mmCIF file of all heavy atoms in Angstrom:
data_model
loop_
_atom_site.group_PDB
_atom_site.id
_atom_site.type_symbol
_atom_site.label_atom_id
_atom_site.label_comp_id
_atom_site.label_asym_id
_atom_site.label_seq_id
_atom_site.Cartn_x
_atom_site.Cartn_y
_atom_site.Cartn_z
ATOM 1 N N VAL A 8 4.650 -0.013 -22.563
ATOM 2 C CA VAL A 8 3.205 -0.022 -22.787
ATOM 3 C C VAL A 8 2.709 1.415 -22.918
ATOM 4 O O VAL A 8 3.009 2.270 -22.097
ATOM 5 C CB VAL A 8 2.484 -0.719 -21.610
ATOM 6 C CG1 VAL A 8 0.980 -0.569 -21.737
ATOM 7 C CG2 VAL A 8 2.878 -2.182 -21.543
ATOM 8 N N THR A 9 1.967 1.691 -23.969
ATOM 9 C CA THR A 9 1.473 3.056 -24.147
ATOM 10 C C THR A 9 0.023 3.184 -23.690
ATOM 11 O O THR A 9 -0.392 4.216 -23.190
ATOM 12 C CB THR A 9 1.580 3.492 -25.627
ATOM 13 O OG1 THR A 9 1.048 2.445 -26.428
ATOM 14 C CG2 THR A 9 3.014 3.769 -26.004
ATOM 15 N N ASN A 10 -0.741 2.110 -23.849
ATOM 16 C CA ASN A 10 -2.145 2.144 -23.480
ATOM 17 C C ASN A 10 -2.279 1.724 -22.008
ATOM 18 O O ASN A 10 -2.550 0.573 -21.700
ATOM 19 C CB ASN A 10 -2.898 1.170 -24.409
ATOM 20 C CG ASN A 10 -4.356 1.104 -24.078
ATOM 21 O OD1 ASN A 10 -4.891 1.984 -23.412
ATOM 22 N ND2 ASN A 10 -4.991 0.032 -24.518
ATOM 23 N N VAL A 11 -2.074 2.693 -21.097
ATOM 24 C CA VAL A 11 -1.955 2.352 -19.679
ATOM 25 C C VAL A 11 -3.310 2.039 -19.046
ATOM 26 O O VAL A 11 -3.445 1.089 -18.273
ATOM 27 C CB VAL A 11 -1.240 3.503 -18.925
ATOM 28 C CG1 VAL A 11 -1.254 3.268 -17.423
ATOM 29 C CG2 VAL A 11 0.191 3.633 -19.428
ATOM 30 N N LEU A 12 -4.304 2.848 -19.366
ATOM 31 C CA LEU A 12 -5.621 2.660 -18.753
ATOM 32 C C LEU A 12 -6.508 1.875 -19.720
ATOM 33 O O LEU A 12 -6.758 2.320 -20.843
ATOM 34 C CB LEU A 12 -6.234 4.024 -18.417
ATOM 35 C CG LEU A 12 -5.389 4.869 -17.459
ATOM 36 C CD1 LEU A 12 -5.968 6.270 -17.322
ATOM 37 C CD2 LEU A 12 -5.282 4.207 -16.096
ATOM 38 N N HIS A 13 -6.972 0.719 -19.287
ATOM 39 C CA HIS A 13 -7.687 -0.188 -20.198
ATOM 40 C C HIS A 13 -9.203 -0.092 -20.099
ATOM 41 O O HIS A 13 -9.903 -0.470 -21.019
ATOM 42 C CB HIS A 13 -7.300 -1.640 -19.907
ATOM 43 C CG HIS A 13 -5.830 -1.908 -20.025
ATOM 44 N ND1 HIS A 13 -5.214 -2.993 -19.473
ATOM 45 C CD2 HIS A 13 -4.837 -1.197 -20.622
ATOM 46 C CE1 HIS A 13 -3.922 -2.970 -19.731
ATOM 47 N NE2 HIS A 13 -3.664 -1.880 -20.413
ATOM 48 N N THR A 14 -9.707 0.331 -18.954
ATOM 49 C CA THR A 14 -11.168 0.273 -18.738
ATOM 50 C C THR A 14 -11.666 1.589 -18.140
ATOM 51 O O THR A 14 -10.886 2.383 -17.581
ATOM 52 C CB THR A 14 -11.529 -0.853 -17.745
ATOM 53 O OG1 THR A 14 -10.920 -0.542 -16.478
ATOM 54 C CG2 THR A 14 -11.054 -2.213 -18.224
ATOM 55 N N ASP A 15 -12.995 1.765 -18.209
ATOM 56 C CA ASP A 15 -13.591 2.952 -17.577
ATOM 57 C C ASP A 15 -13.348 2.931 -16.069
ATOM 58 O O ASP A 15 -13.130 3.971 -15.456
ATOM 59 C CB ASP A 15 -15.100 2.992 -17.853
ATOM 60 C CG ASP A 15 -15.383 3.385 -19.304
ATOM 61 O OD1 ASP A 15 -14.454 3.881 -19.970
ATOM 62 O OD2 ASP A 15 -16.528 3.185 -19.750
ATOM 63 N N TYR A 16 -13.399 1.751 -15.480
ATOM 64 C CA TYR A 16 -13.132 1.654 -14.036
ATOM 65 C C TYR A 16 -11.723 2.157 -13.719
ATOM 66 O O TYR A 16 -11.525 2.962 -12.809
ATOM 67 C CB TYR A 16 -13.317 0.207 -13.544
ATOM 68 C CG TYR A 16 -12.862 0.036 -12.111
ATOM 69 C CD1 TYR A 16 -13.562 0.646 -11.064
ATOM 70 C CD2 TYR A 16 -11.709 -0.680 -11.799
ATOM 71 C CE1 TYR A 16 -13.126 0.522 -9.746
ATOM 72 C CE2 TYR A 16 -11.268 -0.804 -10.488
ATOM 73 C CZ TYR A 16 -11.976 -0.204 -9.473
ATOM 74 O OH TYR A 16 -11.540 -0.315 -8.169
ATOM 75 N N GLN A 17 -10.737 1.692 -14.494
ATOM 76 C CA GLN A 17 -9.358 2.139 -14.242
ATOM 77 C C GLN A 17 -9.231 3.655 -14.433
ATOM 78 O O GLN A 17 -8.523 4.323 -13.679
ATOM 79 C CB GLN A 17 -8.383 1.403 -15.162
ATOM 80 C CG GLN A 17 -8.226 -0.064 -14.766
ATOM 81 C CD GLN A 17 -7.408 -0.872 -15.758
ATOM 82 O OE1 GLN A 17 -6.832 -0.332 -16.711
ATOM 83 N NE2 GLN A 17 -7.358 -2.182 -15.541
ATOM 84 N N ARG A 18 -9.973 4.187 -15.410
ATOM 85 C CA ARG A 18 -9.927 5.645 -15.608
ATOM 86 C C ARG A 18 -10.527 6.372 -14.403
ATOM 87 O O ARG A 18 -10.036 7.417 -13.977
ATOM 88 C CB ARG A 18 -10.647 6.046 -16.906
ATOM 89 C CG ARG A 18 -9.772 5.835 -18.155
ATOM 90 C CD ARG A 18 -10.459 6.304 -19.442
ATOM 91 N NE ARG A 18 -11.317 5.265 -20.000
ATOM 92 C CZ ARG A 18 -10.873 4.255 -20.770
ATOM 93 N NH1 ARG A 18 -9.601 4.174 -21.105
ATOM 94 N NH2 ARG A 18 -11.707 3.331 -21.213
ATOM 95 N N SER A 19 -11.567 5.798 -13.811
ATOM 96 C CA SER A 19 -12.181 6.465 -12.650
ATOM 97 C C SER A 19 -11.261 6.386 -11.429
ATOM 98 O O SER A 19 -11.180 7.328 -10.644
ATOM 99 C CB SER A 19 -13.570 5.877 -12.346
ATOM 100 O OG SER A 19 -13.464 4.595 -11.775
#
Side-chain angles (χ1 to χ4, degrees):
V8 172
T9 47
N10 178 18
V11 173
L12 301 172
H13 302 161
T14 63
D15 286 345
Y16 172 68
Q17 289 173 7
R18 280 183 275 278
S19 73

